[in-house]
Amino acid sequence: MGMWSLLDAMWEMPAEKRIFGAVLLFSWTVYLWETFLAQRQRRVYKTTTHVPLELGQIMDSETFEKSRLYQLDKSTFSFWSGLYSEVEGTLILLFGGIPYLWRLSGRFCGYAGFGPEYEITQSLVFLLLATLFSALTGLPWSLYNTFVIEEKHGFNQQTLGFFMKDAIKKFVVTQCILLPVSSLLLYIIKIGGDYFFIYAWLFTLVVSLVLVTIYADYIAPLFDKFTPLPEGKLKQEIEVMAKSIDFPLTKVYVVEGSKRSSHSNAYFYGFFKNKRIVLFDTLLEEYSVLNKDIQEESGMEPRNDGEGDSEEIKAKVKNKKQGCKNEEVLAVLGHELGHWKLGHTVKNIIISQMNSFLCFFLFAVLIGRKELFVAFGFNDSQPTLIGLLIIFQFIFSPYNEVLSFCLTVLSRRFEFQADAFAKKLGKAKDLYSALIKLNKDNLGFPVSDWLFSMWHYSHPPLLERLQALKNSKQD
């Protein structure tokens, strides 16, 4: 009875109260649903203490247990951080945090001699303060995650100094992009007339294309060291493979991911005829810092040929070795290039642009509704930035949830297709062993609750991917 009477009561309120109530109600509904799913997955971590039969060949019990404890710690952390951010968001709404911050920004502008007619200036101050607030409230969580959880499970490679310098750098770079882009967007919305949503959409399209183009060359190197992959067998084989599927490869980089964490990855980027591949040093057996440490411990000289190491040393290294062999790295790249060859990248861009256009169109329809502003405590002014915030973040939240679920489902389909592509290149066996290794290196837990994985996993569970590869490994 409680729920319906609550909805009834809401329906009899004025429009702005209804809007506010619906936003809060939806936010808590999503939160409770996510918490329910996380508890189901947590039960899997708690109860699956032995390697399941079908995983016998894939994972030894020591890694399995390590991974189980890592995922348990992560799930405890995400429970508390999720609860905190839900409560924080609710309190900000209930106590009028958004209008308060807007007034505060206005006061700061006033001190600098900008009156209320300088709405865009006030909006930028608002953005600066809001991002500063979220960076500061997020900092303790981020510190705990890095220096307690990731540290305890052997992933963290950062010092506190590096971490803080990195956080400040990230904040500054974000402001350098966010503030100019936002001011231009607000200006376009202001002067765009009836069809401003088309211009606003085109502007965001151009910005995202520019950012993708400059990100790897100008932004990423501010945070990580990129070095060209040295000439050698691996580079040749990558070039041969790229050529065989007409991938216009111009450069291959190794990024020093190991300064942050021992998690591994690979990706490609770039437009048209100018594609680059980036490999994390933690992915490459020959480059992994971890392996160099082991080699030093065992008094071994790092050698590239890998021949002639004594059996005993080999055994010692084998236990701890991180990263993939060259053939496996190629298989992982075969999968990544599959995303390109099968048009997944382009499809994702098209979907996100169609979505962005639809959102701007609906924004244009809704921005004139005064009750939306009144609902969030803006009784006498209707700033464009606040309109963007209310509509995109709160009013669209049900649509965003549905869209994000659909994209997750689509992403899993794309992953299977990219695996199948690597298989067609004859890399099934190597991809099979690479997936197992990467899962082990990253301490992924191979058992998942069906509902949790359906809602959250952008990649299919390990067993399903291996099964799909196996079915044709015999071919």
Side-chain angles (χ1 to χ4, degrees), residues 255-448:
V255 59
E256 199 183 325
S258 54
K259 274 204 321 225
R260 288 166 201 285
S261 148
S262 49
H263 289 294
S264 44
N265 203 351
Y267 62 90
F268 69 86
Y269 69 92
F271 274 119
F272 310 117
K273 294 280 171 249
N274 186 17
K275 301 259 191 261
R276 289 72 181 293
I277 288 176
V278 176
L279 307 168
F280 278 52
D281 58 353
T282 43
L283 176 69
L284 308 175
E285 215 176 64
E286 290 182 5
Y287 287 86
S288 183
V289 179
L290 201 73
N291 301 336
K292 292 204 176 84
D293 295 346
I294 297 164
Q295 289 174 334
E296 278 154 24
E297 272 172 42
S298 53
M300 227 173 93
E301 281 302 305
R303 300 183 38 173
N304 283 346
D305 54 3
E307 302 299 322
D309 308 333
S310 81
E311 285 312 304
E312 166 204 12
I313 288 176
K314 265 189 185 158
K316 192 168 178 181
V317 172
K318 185 174 159 283
N319 288 337
K320 284 171 146 179
K321 230 178 183 181
Q322 190 205 12
C324 293
K325 293 203 204 58
N326 286 356
E327 303 78 43
E328 292 161 341
V329 173
L330 282 170
V332 170
L333 278 181
H335 165 99
E336 289 302 329
L337 295 182
H339 284 307
W340 169 80
K341 191 70 175 174
L342 300 166
H344 295 167
T345 330
V346 175
K347 285 175 193 161
N348 281 331
I349 291 174
I350 291 171
I351 292 171
S352 86
Q353 288 312 318
M354 280 165 55
N355 168 54
S356 159
F357 182 79
L358 176 71
C359 288
F360 273 119
F361 173 72
L362 291 172
F363 170 75
V365 174
L366 293 170
I367 186 69
R369 306 295 289 264
K370 194 167 192 294
E371 61 270 35
L372 285 179
F373 288 91
V374 177
F376 292 91
F378 288 82
N379 300 323
D380 37 11
S381 66
Q382 292 159 31
T384 308
L385 177 71
I386 302 298
L388 282 166
L389 178 76
I390 291 171
I391 293 169
F392 276 77
Q393 198 179 335
F394 299 132
I395 308 299
F396 288 170
S397 51
Y399 165 72
N400 289 337
E401 284 298 320
V402 173
L403 179 72
S404 118
F405 174 66
C406 295
L407 289 175
T408 304
V409 173
L410 183 67
S411 166
R412 285 197 294 264
R413 278 197 48 186
F414 283 172
E415 292 303 320
F416 276 129
Q417 290 172 4
D419 282 353
F421 183 84
K423 201 160 69 185
K424 272 211 324 235
L425 293 177
K427 310 234 175 275
K429 189 167 119 319
D430 292 321
L431 187 57
Y432 191 92
S433 58
L435 288 175
I436 293 172
K437 271 194 190 169
L438 291 175
N439 189 67
K440 182 180 171 177
D441 283 352
N442 292 311
L443 288 186
F445 193 71
V447 188
S448 50

Side-chain angles (χ1 to χ4, degrees), residues 151-215:
E151 182 76 39
K152 172 179 163 188
H153 296 277
F155 287 114
N156 175 44
Q157 307 286 336
Q158 311 180 48
T159 59
L160 187 59
F162 177 86
F163 178 90
M164 292 310 293
K165 209 168 78 184
D166 209 48
I168 292 166
K169 233 188 319 189
K170 233 176 246 161
F171 185 78
V172 171
V173 170
T174 304
Q175 300 308 320
C176 290
I177 297 167
L178 180 69
L179 300 180
V181 168
S182 304
S183 60
L184 276 168
L185 179 65
L186 293 171
Y187 183 67
I188 288 168
I189 293 174
K190 286 245 175 284
I191 62 158
D194 287 347
Y195 295 104
F196 77 83
F197 61 94
I198 297 178
Y199 309 127
W201 169 70
L202 282 173
F203 172 69
T204 55
L205 169 64
V206 170
V207 168
S208 56
L209 294 181
V210 167
L211 282 177
V212 168
T213 312
I214 66 167
Y215 175 77

